[in-house]
Amino acid sequence: MPINIYIQETFVKVDWLCEGIWDLPTQIDVLESWLEKKAKALKPNKYVADIGFDISKDASGGGGVLSSKSMAIMGKIGMDVYFSEYRSAE
């Protein structure tokens, strides 16, 4: 389950990003690009960007960064971000 973007109250799908990509830093980069290109055209509503990511078993810090510019866009359109952790099947 990569990034599922939908309207919170109706669960109407807005977009689906990162098919088959489970690492958080890549997903955040793709989401930020999507926000720049497509989200600005959305009317304000209650949106969700649900990021399903794989837990890094050898993680020792670092990771993705959600920029203030992206957060400002999300604030304008009313988008919340859910971070959904999944254990690797490996």
Side-chain angles (χ1 to χ4, degrees), residues 16-37:
W16 181 265
L17 310 173
C18 295
E19 182 70 37
I21 299 171
W22 289 82
D23 69 284
L24 189 57
T26 301
Q27 290 175 316
I28 289 176
D29 288 345
V30 170
L31 177 60
E32 288 194 320
S33 178
W34 182 88
L35 288 165
E36 276 290 313
K37 293 175 186 171

Side-chain angles (χ1 to χ4, degrees), residues 36-79:
E36 276 290 313
K37 293 175 186 171
K38 295 188 177 179
K40 290 179 179 182
L42 294 175
K43 294 180 182 178
N45 205 329
K46 292 184 178 182
Y47 298 101
V48 171
D50 187 0
I51 302 175
F53 66 99
D54 188 11
I55 300 168
S56 300
K57 65 180 180 179
D58 296 328
S60 60
V65 175
L66 189 58
S67 71
S68 58
K69 185 176 181 179
S70 292
M71 289 188 276
I73 294 168
M74 290 186 298
K76 286 179 185 175
I77 64 170
M79 179 178 280

Side-chain angles (χ1 to χ4, degrees), residues 2-22:
I3 303 174
N4 182 16
I5 300 172
Y6 60 91
I7 298 172
Q8 184 179 27
E9 294 175 346
T10 62
F11 295 98
V12 170
K13 179 179 147 187
V14 174
D15 215 336
W16 181 265
L17 310 173
C18 295
E19 182 70 37
I21 299 171
W22 289 82

